[in-house]
Amino acid sequence: MREFQPEARSGDPVRDICHHAAEHDFDQIFLAGQKRSRAGKALFESVTQDVRLSEDRPVLVCGDGPDDPPEA
């Protein structure tokens, strides 16, 4: 089992996460999601969503639950 080391970086988070995962040949990426409304998603970028769309390797997202309540 690998040990985990937190890192602080500045710049483009999506590019940095994807580059770091490729550089270390990670099997999977783990990210924390953030609960947002549809309006919040439209106004603010989602690093988690952009990483999910940019990566071929599995991305596991943990968070507060679904972003939106189920539609009736």
Side-chain angles (χ1 to χ4, degrees):
M1 179 177 220
R2 292 184 185 178
E3 292 193 23
F4 298 91
Q5 295 293 331
E7 292 187 26
R9 296 180 181 218
S10 62
D12 180 0
V14 175
R15 184 191 52 137
D16 287 348
I17 291 167
C18 295
H19 176 75
H20 192 74
E23 179 180 17
H24 295 282
D25 194 28
F26 291 154
D27 296 325
Q28 189 171 17
I29 297 173
F30 295 87
L31 297 173
Q34 186 175 3
K35 193 172 185 180
R36 288 196 177 152
S37 67
R38 286 193 174 102
K41 288 180 197 176
L43 293 172
F44 304 105
E45 288 185 28
S46 171
V47 170
T48 300
Q49 181 68 10
D50 289 348
V51 169
R52 289 176 65 202
L53 294 172
S54 299
E55 274 296 320
D56 291 332
R57 70 191 82 235
V59 177
L60 177 65
V61 180
C62 302
D64 296 324
D67 291 339
D68 296 309
E71 295 183 20

